[in-house]
Amino acid sequence: MKDSHALRARIIATALAMNAQGINRGKSGNVSARTDDGFLITPSALPYEDTKPADVVAVDRGGNATGRRKPSSEWRFHRDVYAARPEVAAIVHAHSPFATALACLERGIPPFHYMIAVGGGSDIRCAPYATFGTQALSDHAVAALHGRRACLLAHHGMIAVGATLRSALALAIEVETLAEMYWRAIAVGEPALLPEDEMARVVARFEDYQA
Ligand SMILES: [Zn+2]
């Protein structure tokens, strides 16, 4: 996609929707979209309400930023996910409460519910902890997203990716919903897990719907 005013406006709208939908608060989290020569990402340290299209930062594939603002401190994992995953065109990163609470226990989400397959596989992994903004965190995130469209980040938050901003945001909301259900289930007992062959059937169905 071309860097355009419209795309920049859609990135801001997605970031605002993230907060309105309750999966993020304040200015933690960030949103990006792939462009022809890199990606556009929400700026660092600016509330989304005050962000204008010209504040969205263009970052090229080498990690060089242009614009009047600094890119979100997490630009590295956005760059590396786009490099590793040609099918991904949008990334949503949030510190959503339930997903982050599980991530603070260093727990991913196992197949306790068939909807786990929206993430592209039979679980949603939790990437090991590394300091925010570092290459180590980016490497962990890319590995946890292998064969998946979402992951948790230990002691930090979650990432959801998609072919569009709309699908990445919808997935982030779904992951937070699943995290809340799992949280509630494990508060009462240990939920039984769906077997691998059943999850494989559900994943295949989901890929069918999306095709
Ligand atoms: Zn973060």
Side-chain angles (χ1 to χ4, degrees):
M1 230 180 291
K2 280 221 169 339
D3 177 352
S4 67
H5 183 89
L7 182 57
R8 288 165 175 257
R10 284 210 302 282
I11 288 170
I12 298 167
T14 304
L16 285 168
M18 194 163 73
N19 286 22
Q21 300 262 12
I23 63 162
N24 201 63
R25 287 177 197 155
K27 50 192 194 241
S28 57
N30 41 63
V31 175
S32 74
R34 187 194 289 274
T35 58
D36 295 340
D37 42 13
F39 60 96
L40 291 168
I41 188 166
T42 45
S44 173
L46 188 64
Y48 299 136
E49 294 77 16
D50 302 334
T51 304
K52 302 281 178 278
D55 295 316
V56 173
V57 184
V59 181
D60 70 16
R61 290 192 194 94
N64 306 298
T66 41
R68 66 188 190 191
R69 301 277 177 186
K70 279 198 178 129
S72 160
S73 56
E74 300 293 13
W75 62 268
R76 276 188 183 79
F77 69 66
H78 291 258
R79 176 197 61 189
D80 295 346
V81 169
Y82 289 125
R85 301 286 292 274
E87 83 283 13
V88 171
I91 300 173
V92 167
H93 165 57
H95 297 180
S96 57
F98 285 95
T100 304
L102 289 174
C104 290
L105 300 170
E106 302 183 355
R107 286 178 84 146
I109 314 180
F112 78 108
H113 190 291
Y114 79 92
M115 283 295 286
I116 285 294
V118 292
S122 62
D123 61 358
I124 294 167
R125 303 183 189 108
C126 182
Y129 179 78
T131 310
F132 77 95
T134 59
Q135 189 59 45
L137 176 62
S138 176
D139 294 345
H140 292 328
V142 169
L145 283 168
H146 182 74
R148 300 285 186 275
R149 289 185 286 269
C151 72
L152 309 187
L153 302 175
H155 310 280
H156 184 157
M158 63 122 113
I159 299 174
V161 307
T164 63
L165 284 163
R166 185 189 292 240
S167 64
L169 175 65
L171 180 56
I173 293 166
E174 188 61 50
V175 169
E176 176 64 0
T177 304
L178 287 162
E180 180 172 2
M181 291 174 188
Y182 185 54
W183 180 272
R184 290 179 185 278
I186 58 178
V188 179
E190 202 52 43
L193 301 181
L194 295 169
E196 277 293 329
D197 62 328
E198 174 55 13
M199 286 307 291
R201 279 192 289 274
V202 179
V203 168
R205 280 197 171 216
F206 279 13
E207 302 304 319
D208 250 20
Y209 283 134
Q210 287 182 347

